[in-house]
Amino acid sequence: MRFFKFRMIFLAVAFFGAAIANASETSPKLQLDVKEFTLKNGMLFLVVERPATPQVAVRLAIRAGSALEEAGKTGIAHMLEHMMFKGTRNFGSTDYRQDAELQGRIDAAYARIKAEQARRNPDPKVIQEKLAEMEQLRLEAQKLYIPQVFSSQLGKNGAVGVNAFTTTDQTQYIASVPSDMLEQWFSIISEQLFEPSWREFYVEKEVVQREWAFRYVNNPEGAAWLDLNATAFTAHPYRNPVIGWKSDMERYSTRDAMEFHAKHYNPTNSVCVLAGDVTLAEARRLAEVYFERYPAGMRAPEVVTEEPAQQGPRRSVRFLEGARTPVVRIGFHGAAMNTPDFFALDALTMVLSQGRSARITQNIVEQGLAVEAWAGNPDHRYGGMVVMGGSPNEPDALKQPGVSADQKRVAYLAACEALEELLLAEVEKLKTELVSAPELDRLKKLNQRDFIDRLRSNESVAGTLATLEVQAGWRYLTDYLSRMEAVSPEDIRRVARLYLRPANKTTAFVVPGDAASRPPEAYAEVRSISGSAASSRELHKGSFQNHSIYPTPAGWKHPLSFTRHPHRVTYPDADQMTIGGAKVFFLPDRELPLIDMTIYVKAGAVDLKDSEAGLTDILEATIIRGGTESRSPAELAMLLDDNAIKLGVDIGLEETAIKLSVLSADWEKGLEILKEVLTRPRFDAKAIEVAKVQEVAALSRQGEDAKDVAMRESMIWHFKGHAYGRDPLAAVKVIANITRDDLRRFLSVYVVPSNMVVAVSGDIERHKAQETLSRFIGGLPPGTAPQRRIGEPAPTPPVMTLIHKPGQVQSTVVAVLPGLTRANPQYWKSNLLMSVFGGNDSLMYTRLRDDLGYVYSAGFYQTAKWQAGLLIGIIGCKSDKAGEAILETVNIMRSLHQGIPARELELKRLDTLNSFVFNVDTKAELVQAYSRYAMRQEPLDTLERIQGAYFTSTPEELQTIALRLLVPLKIQIHVVADKTLPVSKADGRTLTLEEDLKAVAQSLGLPFQEIPLR
């Protein structure tokens, strides 16, 4: 579903980097002990026992992605991924026999339609009759369908991150579960993947087609990847997009999915990885019960159609209607994984693009020659391609008044060509000049650091092992670091000359085009089930009898028979110190030789005057990139990379987070560098100039993203006249006036010990932390920051606005209501209410996506600023369904005024409480939470209070909150869409989307107005 880059620099079965192994005498030996076993049917299991916390990261990878699809059926692997959440004979339907019979009749009707469409002169009457038959059968089947059972059952028992993704090489199903619910995961995933039902296939097909629009039609980045692969590969299946070509997506049937499933979804072609609180013996026991019952099947081939040698440069240029961001992609066919040349190419792209001191970063981005530029050598199972990319600056020619559309295209194309030349110039240097020894040493240190970072979480360990096993075998990582260590400067020069040749090059440019032409008409669909009926459906009715076509093994338990009773999660108190006026929270963590520090500063964009708009963005961009008084920007970048020190500054609306992460041996060095950055920043003039250009470019391109536009206009409207509602685009007019002195003044005024809270965790003793922090904090400027005087925002009126975005294929809706502040005693109970209403698998999501098929994504959540609470709904829907999605959402709000569905409430209560162990599951996250609470003057036992609110909330309390907060007459709705789109109404009329939204606004009693796209 998305592009993944796995650099295997982060895991090894035995870690041998002496520089890190000796970083702290008290650090444990770094070792990842991977245990494996294979069932009788050939299914491979990898187990990493890490019992530190009672949770397990689980990954199940099918060794089949889009590269194994047949011609005319592209995207079927991704479609199959979507179908693996629809249930089995044991769950997801009130009558699995009748359901299967109806699904068969639906597919037979569709087969007749396809046969008719394939004729030279198809009969439209036959097609319409069969479409009507399909719709009638689908309505009957929907009465039996119980949506979201798979994820709801896992969720109510504490699972988080239940999801899946498809790539060219694999389809991977992911989750993290409490260790006492591991058996439930085995029970439900085994039959969901190996004996699925095929419910709602044609509804889900429409959802996937909307994903095409989201990823490629209105997305320059997605369009660039699409064009690069389709141009670079002429025979190899990597030329096809993972979600398929749209014409294929429109035609494939349930039978196509069943055939792909029968061929590739089997134990021999699968690998399961478990990382966390699990033993090898328990994993084997569960695997034998739940997976060994399935027949072996065949392993997917390791060879696909080979790409012929490229014999000349290729180029694709797309003028993308409605786009604002020009995008460049350059690809060179590369080497296969696990070959000497692949490791040399990996090193080559690291020289170009890894770390702050990388060549492309320093020579192109930091010089202000591009907004973005990078290089990479992605891991792929069936072939390699080195990729370079980026986005050029806004052309100077566009600053002139009266520039025509043709002139804009010419200017953007020239900018893309100029960026291509810059990137290729860096490649040419590698063909003639040997990489220096210090440069290679720097990469090795960064490799070692990335290795340790990836050991932080069970999720990254499990995901990496599963992916590597599919691509090259998991033992690939046992010698990755040593293979990289063996790469020489001569190897890098050799592969640069061999692979990065003009004749082997493919270039794809995406250039902003005209205002878009009208998209095709949207799919129309009528569904009859009511929202109240949907909310009343149970996950399971009847006995826990096994209806599988396979024998029931001894010890088998029904997937829905598991119930986890939540208990309160307790958290250790952090050591608290006051050092130099700063409050410090500390927790030791000896698992890895790392120390993490986050300094929270009560300062942000709200503390600026209107004339200073954009100052915090420039400060964030330049405080590190701009060097220090004693070190140039390039020297500081090299110093940080030489020591693998991660340093970052994130300035938000109301607070700033300054983050330092170091190997424990380099703790004091890291503190010294950070003190130098904070107290003696250079704010290099060139760095400031570049940051201003890049910030203005980012703001000017913001109108390209419908969600960003809708959120921006929502906040401006909701907080009109308040600092929270400042227009971000106002910075375009004043950002040029920001000076080095302005940046230094903000830093000196606000970054003082009395205005900060510090969180420290990691491989360090308390006395050592206190001693070193005393020196660090003592070196910061003293003083008292100005008292923030920001009152509560005044109420603003309800409204429905339309932002016309020509060519926008999907409508994006953002709805805002006033909420509660975090200081309100009912805040966390309100949070539970919003989970029922608009969370994952909520009333809103189930109604809009599963019942009606209107949306690709939908949710309504609670958030809060220091002085205001917010309820924010976001809907990504079918282009012509915005009005109906809004009405359905309001209907659900009103239904909650009548009462809170008991089943939904209990599911969300269990979901949250059982998964609470995942909310804050590292020492670093815990001290950061304590520090944020202290910064906002919230109780330090807030984590306990949250659990208490969820345990004790009653339906009556939540109903009272719903009556207070979910008030349709107060709602503010902002829609970004193409207002000219046709909307077919049930009475046969056809309106424009603008006309339809006006009618919806009138029915809701909301004033309507159009806001120009900016």
Side-chain angles (χ1 to χ4, degrees):
M1 293 172 68
R2 49 190 178 271
F3 177 80
F4 284 86
K5 170 67 182 116
F6 291 99
R7 275 198 194 284
M8 292 306 122
I9 55 182
F10 34 77
L11 293 174
V13 171
F15 176 65
F16 48 81
I20 298 179
N22 297 326
S24 172
E25 294 180 3
T26 56
S27 296
K29 182 181 179 182
L30 289 174
Q31 184 167 328
L32 188 68
D33 184 12
V34 181
K35 299 179 171 68
E36 67 172 307
F37 64 87
T38 303
L39 297 180
K40 294 175 183 178
N41 56 15
M43 186 166 178
L44 176 65
F45 284 79
L46 305 177
V47 181
V48 181
E49 299 179 3
R50 305 179 87 192
T53 55
Q55 54 185 253
V56 184
V58 290
R59 300 289 186 274
L60 198 154
I62 305 295
R63 305 172 195 265
S66 62
L68 298 181
E69 294 164 345
E70 298 177 12
K73 299 179 182 178
T74 62
I76 200 66
H78 174 250
M79 179 66 198
L80 195 57
E81 171 215 316
H82 279 242
M83 292 305 298
M84 292 299 102
F85 292 81
K86 300 296 183 180
T88 70
R89 293 161 67 100
N90 278 328
F91 61 89
S93 176
T94 58
D95 186 334
Y96 76 89
R97 291 186 180 89
Q98 185 182 358
D99 174 77
E101 188 265 335
L102 288 169
Q103 300 302 333
R105 291 170 61 190
I106 290 170
D107 208 49
Y110 186 68
R112 181 69 181 86
I113 292 170
K114 285 187 69 176
E116 189 64 31
Q117 289 173 334
R119 297 177 59 186
R120 178 171 294 180
N121 297 303
D123 185 342
K125 182 179 179 182
V126 172
I127 293 173
Q128 289 303 315
E129 288 175 352
K130 288 298 175 182
L131 283 171
E133 180 183 343
M134 283 183 68
E135 183 63 20
Q136 183 59 43
L137 290 168
R138 188 164 52 186
L139 290 173
E140 291 183 40
Q142 194 194 13
K143 297 173 185 176
L144 308 174
Y145 180 47
I146 308 174
Q148 305 295 335
V149 178
F150 177 82
S151 50
S152 293
Q153 174 66 17
L154 286 168
K156 80 182 184 73
N157 286 323
V160 298
V162 179
N163 211 332
F165 64 85
T166 305
T167 70
T168 54
D169 301 334
Q170 64 167 329
T171 307
Q172 191 172 131
Y173 298 86
I174 66 180
S176 292
V177 301
S179 51
D180 59 2
M181 281 290 112
L182 183 60
E183 183 172 4
Q184 178 196 234
W185 181 82
F186 268 85
S187 175
I188 201 166
I189 194 70
S190 57
E191 66 177 66
Q192 180 64 86
L193 295 192
F194 290 155
E195 46 180 325
S197 71
W198 302 99
R199 301 173 185 121
E200 298 282 282
F201 180 88
Y202 296 98
V203 174
E204 200 64 31
K205 191 167 80 165
E206 298 302 323
V207 172
V208 170
Q209 288 181 61
R210 290 196 293 283
E211 187 174 345
W212 166 273
F214 173 75
R215 297 196 180 281
Y216 301 128
V217 178
N218 295 130
N219 185 334
E221 290 281 334
W225 285 115
L226 181 75
D227 292 348
L228 176 67
N229 290 324
T231 307
F233 296 103
T234 60
H236 195 287
Y238 282 174
R239 74 183 312 276
N240 298 317
V242 170
I243 69 170
W245 294 107
K246 196 168 187 298
S247 60
D248 289 347
M249 297 162 65
E250 291 169 348
R251 289 195 302 266
Y252 48 54
S253 66
T254 306
R255 189 155 303 280
D256 296 326
M258 294 172 71
E259 289 173 356
F260 190 89
H261 181 272
K263 187 174 184 179
H264 297 296
Y265 276 64
N266 62 68
T268 301
N269 204 38
S270 308
V271 56
C272 180
V273 182
L274 311 170
D277 184 24
V278 59
T279 65
L280 178 67
E282 178 66 0
R284 187 190 297 273
R285 181 187 74 80
L286 295 173
E288 290 173 349
V289 171
Y290 292 102
F291 282 103
E292 207 161 58
R293 54 182 163 155
Y294 298 108
M298 297 290 291
R299 179 79 169 260
E302 296 297 333
V303 178
V304 295
T305 302
E306 186 175 342
E307 179 68 19
Q310 188 169 330
Q311 296 179 327
R314 300 171 186 161
R315 188 167 99 152
S316 165
V317 178
R318 178 192 293 240
F319 296 108
L320 186 63
E321 296 173 324
R324 293 192 180 186
T325 301
V327 178
V328 173
R329 292 289 181 272
I330 307 167
F332 298 89
H333 293 290
M337 283 182 71
N338 216 13
T339 62
D341 283 4
F342 179 84
F343 295 107
L345 288 170
D346 241 16
L348 181 153
T349 56
M350 291 178 194
V351 168
L352 291 175
S353 199
Q354 185 173 7
R356 293 180 177 274
S357 60
R359 294 187 179 192
I360 286 177
T361 303
Q362 288 297 315
N363 298 339
I364 297 178
V365 179
E366 300 296 359
Q367 297 305 311
L369 302 177
V371 173
E372 177 191 39
W374 49 266
N377 184 36
D379 299 340
H380 283 299
R381 180 182 183 185
Y382 294 115
M385 185 163 68
V386 175
V387 183
M388 308 175 76
S391 181
N393 292 332
E394 289 294 294
D396 289 337
L398 301 188
K399 299 175 183 177
Q400 304 300 320
V403 180
S404 69
D406 286 342
Q407 289 172 324
K408 287 182 180 179
R409 284 197 296 269
V410 169
Y412 275 125
L413 181 58
C416 288
E417 291 170 336
L419 177 54
E420 180 188 23
E421 290 182 11
L422 290 170
L423 291 168
L424 295 178
E426 293 301 321
V427 169
E428 291 304 311
K429 295 175 188 176
L430 293 173
K431 295 179 182 179
T432 58
E433 305 168 5
L434 290 175
V435 175
S436 68
E439 204 166 5
L440 276 183
D441 290 342
R442 189 177 305 127
L443 289 178
K444 293 172 185 176
K445 185 70 176 276
L446 290 171
N447 279 356
Q448 294 166 345
R449 171 59 200 266
D450 284 349
F451 168 93
I452 294 181
D453 281 334
R454 291 295 178 170
L455 292 178
R456 288 178 184 263
S457 76
N458 293 330
E459 287 77 13
S460 65
V461 170
T464 299
L465 283 170
T467 296
L468 269 187
E469 169 55 31
V470 170
Q471 291 177 327
W474 70 266
R475 287 181 176 80
Y476 170 87
L477 53 76
T478 62
D479 62 353
Y480 180 85
L481 287 177
S482 62
R483 297 287 292 271
M484 290 299 294
E485 290 273 349
V487 174
S488 67
E490 289 77 14
D491 290 328
I492 294 174
R493 183 173 63 184
R494 176 180 59 79
V495 294
R497 292 171 174 175
L498 179 62
Y499 293 97
L500 276 58
R501 299 174 289 107
N504 194 36
K505 174 174 69 74
T506 299
T507 303
F509 296 149
V510 174
V511 175
D514 288 325
S517 58
R518 179 177 296 183
E521 290 194 22
Y523 169 85
E525 171 181 17
V526 179
R527 312 304 294 274
S528 65
I529 186 168
S530 69
S532 59
S535 67
S536 66
R537 289 176 294 198
E538 300 290 339
L539 294 184
H540 178 74
K541 291 181 179 179
S543 70
F544 288 124
Q545 179 183 350
N546 185 12
H547 299 298
S548 170
I549 63 173
Y550 298 98
T552 302
W556 176 89
K557 296 179 182 178
H558 193 284
L560 306 189
S561 67
F562 296 84
T563 300
R564 187 175 195 264
H565 300 288
H567 58 275
R568 290 180 186 263
V569 179
T570 58
Y571 296 92
D573 293 331
D575 279 333
Q576 298 184 45
M577 320 172 209
T578 299
I579 301 176
K583 183 175 266 310
V584 178
F585 291 86
F586 169 76
L587 278 174
D589 185 355
R590 313 313 295 271
E591 186 175 1
L592 296 171
L594 293 173
I595 303 174
D596 297 307
M597 178 174 75
T598 302
I599 302 173
Y600 293 99
V601 182
K602 187 179 178 181
V606 294
D607 299 302
L608 300 175
K609 302 173 185 176
D610 289 344
S611 60
E612 297 173 321
L615 185 149
T616 52
D617 296 311
I618 302 303
L619 176 60
E620 179 182 307
T622 59
I623 187 170
I624 299 170
R625 290 167 59 185
T628 67
E629 291 178 0
S630 60
R631 305 178 201 277
S632 70
E635 290 169 341
L636 180 59
M638 283 191 286
L639 179 65
L640 292 171
D641 285 352
D642 284 341
N643 294 280
I645 293 172
K646 295 192 174 183
L647 183 60
V649 176
D650 181 11
I651 307 178
L653 186 65
E654 298 177 283
E655 66 183 43
T656 295
I658 303 168
K659 297 185 177 183
L660 172 69
S661 181
V662 298
L663 300 169
S664 49
D666 295 323
W667 166 242
E668 294 186 57
K669 184 181 296 183
L671 288 177
E672 284 301 314
I673 294 172
L674 178 56
K675 183 169 68 174
E676 185 177 339
V677 166
L678 294 179
T679 60
R680 296 193 296 136
R682 176 179 296 204
F683 289 122
D684 179 78
K686 179 68 173 180
I688 293 175
E689 177 189 351
V690 169
K692 289 179 179 180
V693 170
Q694 293 175 345
E695 179 64 18
V696 170
L699 290 171
S700 68
R701 297 172 182 180
Q702 194 180 78
E704 179 178 77
D705 189 295
K707 181 180 175 182
D708 286 349
V709 171
M711 286 295 296
R712 181 188 70 209
E713 300 300 338
S714 294
M715 294 302 101
I716 292 172
W717 184 280
H718 190 76
F719 293 119
K720 186 176 182 179
H722 192 275
Y724 291 159
R726 241 184 225 134
D727 183 358
L729 299 185
V732 173
K733 298 179 180 179
V734 299
I735 208 166
N737 301 326
I738 295 171
T739 67
R740 178 189 288 118
D741 289 341
D742 295 329
L743 301 176
R744 285 177 171 158
R745 187 180 306 113
F746 186 93
L747 201 61
S748 64
V749 167
Y750 289 103
V751 185
V752 295
S754 61
N755 197 40
M756 61 176 57
V757 181
V758 183
V760 178
S761 65
D763 184 26
I764 185 171
E765 298 288 351
R766 183 186 190 281
H767 69 88
K768 182 72 170 178
Q770 186 172 18
E771 174 191 334
T772 51
L773 286 172
S774 295
R775 291 198 297 271
F776 168 73
I777 294 173
L780 299 179
T784 301
Q787 185 175 356
R788 180 181 288 169
R789 300 184 183 278
I790 298 178
E792 294 183 10
T796 48
V799 73
M800 180 183 290
T801 72
L802 171 63
I803 299 100
H804 175 47
K805 188 173 186 292
Q808 180 66 25
V809 177
Q810 286 184 307
S811 296
T812 298
V813 180
V814 170
V816 179
L817 283 165
L820 305 177
T821 65
R822 291 172 60 96
N824 191 299
Q826 299 296 308
Y827 181 82
W828 296 109
K829 296 190 177 188
S830 172
N831 207 57
L832 179 56
L833 169 67
M834 297 309 293
S835 294
V836 172
F837 169 40
N840 294 331
D841 303 333
S842 61
L843 297 175
M844 178 182 172
Y845 182 86
T846 301
R847 176 65 176 156
L848 295 182
R849 190 184 191 278
D850 292 318
D851 293 342
L852 297 170
Y854 288 171
V855 308
Y856 180 67
S857 61
F860 224 117
Y861 63 94
Q862 174 174 256
T863 186
K865 304 184 187 303
W866 287 21
Q867 297 295 328
L870 284 171
L871 306 180
I872 300 178
I874 303 176
I875 302 172
C877 61
K878 295 171 66 171
S879 53
D880 61 339
K881 294 299 182 183
E884 293 186 44
I886 290 167
L887 289 174
E888 288 291 340
T889 300
V890 170
N891 286 340
I892 297 171
M893 285 185 193
R894 290 171 175 157
S895 74
L896 293 172
H897 294 175
Q898 308 305 314
I900 308 299
R903 184 182 69 87
E904 294 295 328
L905 172 56
E906 193 57 25
L907 280 175
K908 289 304 176 185
R909 190 199 312 275
L910 290 173
D911 188 336
T912 303
L913 291 172
N914 277 324
S915 64
F916 211 82
V917 67
F918 293 100
N919 286 355
V920 181
D921 58 356
T922 68
K923 300 289 182 63
E925 290 174 349
L926 185 56
V927 291
Q928 288 166 11
Y930 287 143
S931 298
R932 289 195 301 272
Y933 297 151
M935 171 69 69
R936 293 191 292 248
Q937 297 184 332
E938 296 176 11
L940 294 182
D941 65 347
T942 292
L943 290 169
E944 285 72 24
R945 292 174 183 239
I946 296 171
Q947 295 177 80
Y950 274 69
F951 269 111
T952 60
S953 292
T954 66
E956 294 74 21
E957 285 180 299
L958 299 196
Q959 183 182 0
T960 300
I961 296 173
L963 286 165
R964 176 183 175 185
L965 298 182
L966 300 181
V967 182
L969 288 176
K970 293 183 178 180
I971 200 166
Q972 298 164 349
I973 300 171
H974 300 265
V975 183
V976 179
D978 187 330
K979 69 179 183 180
T980 66
L981 287 169
V983 178
S984 300
K985 307 302 290 184
D987 60 7
R989 292 178 303 145
T990 299
L991 307 177
T992 65
L993 181 58
E994 179 183 20
E995 292 170 334
D996 187 52
L997 289 175
K998 285 181 178 178
V1000 170
Q1002 184 176 14
S1003 72
L1004 295 175
L1006 301 176
F1008 179 90
Q1009 71 177 70
E1010 184 173 342
I1011 295 177
L1013 176 67
R1014 300 183 296 148

